[in-house]
Amino acid sequence: MTNLPGRPLTINDLPLTELYSARLDGQVFQVADSWCVIDEIDGCDTRAIAASQLVPPRAIAEQLTAAWIYGLAPEPRRHQFCVLISARATAVWSPRAQVREIVRSPDDVRTISGVRVTTPLRTAVDLARYTPGTTSAAGLTALLARLLHYGEYPDVSAAIRLCKRGSPAHSTLAVERLAAVRAPLQALRLQGPQHAATITAG
């Protein structure tokens, strides 16, 4: 089985039954709704490209999907994307994706292999603001710390400033959540970059 380097396979390349058979044979592994040949590296580029197959080109990967692309969280059951309000496009190509309209600054977004993804800072702030209260507080705190550490932020001050620029309705709880990140973020900094947690399975 051959494929262009870094480009996951989809049902546009092979029938679904053949892709499932190839997975059972150990020739491919699944990433989002795409498949990669077994010798392909499961890295940021591969995950970004695979995620982009779920939505129209204008969509920006955000929240848990962005954290997954960075290798800092397991793949979410339903991927999260946003589009600029001016884009007026919220159609999805897969039931595994949800898209919301949002206002974004160019500084909030970076590009990975042609796919737009919210920066680690923006991702941390969005997760602090919009993650349901039923989510494990300890797990969210650890993820926020990993995101800020990955983005090479020495403390939570930049995240709190960005958070306070948004709607007050979500800011109070988010600032409390970010304040709880101080100690685990400091611990990650003391351990060094090689100890930043990377979680891609789950």
Side-chain angles (χ1 to χ4, degrees), residues 31-32 42 47 62-80 96 127 135 139-140 142-143 146-147 197-202:
V31 183
D42 181 14
R47 290 190 290 272
E62 65 164 0
Q63 298 189 51
L64 289 175
T65 295
W68 168 67
I69 288 172
Y70 291 129
L72 303 175
E75 180 179 353
R77 291 183 179 179
R78 195 170 187 204
H79 284 277
Q80 297 166 301
R96 293 192 61 209
L127 286 170
T135 301
L140 177 60
L143 176 55
R146 289 195 297 270
L147 281 161
T198 298
I199 305 175
T200 56

Side-chain angles (χ1 to χ4, degrees), residues 38-124:
I38 200 65
D39 58 352
E40 188 69 50
I41 296 174
D42 181 14
C44 293
D45 298 281
T46 301
R47 290 190 290 272
I49 295 170
S52 72
Q53 305 303 307
L54 303 172
V55 288
R58 292 180 178 179
I60 302 166
E62 65 164 0
Q63 298 189 51
L64 289 175
T65 295
W68 168 67
I69 288 172
Y70 291 129
L72 303 175
E75 180 179 353
R77 291 183 179 179
R78 195 170 187 204
H79 284 277
Q80 297 166 301
F81 297 85
C82 61
V83 293
L84 301 180
I85 291 177
S86 59
R88 300 186 181 279
T90 56
V92 296
W93 296 351
S94 168
R96 293 192 61 209
Q98 61 185 31
V99 180
R100 65 186 183 121
E101 290 184 322
I102 202 77
V103 176
R104 279 284 173 264
S105 160
D107 294 337
D108 290 334
V109 180
R110 63 169 54 172
T111 301
I112 300 175
S113 289
V115 180
R116 294 192 291 177
V117 183
T118 54
T119 63
L121 178 65
R122 180 78 254 182
T123 302

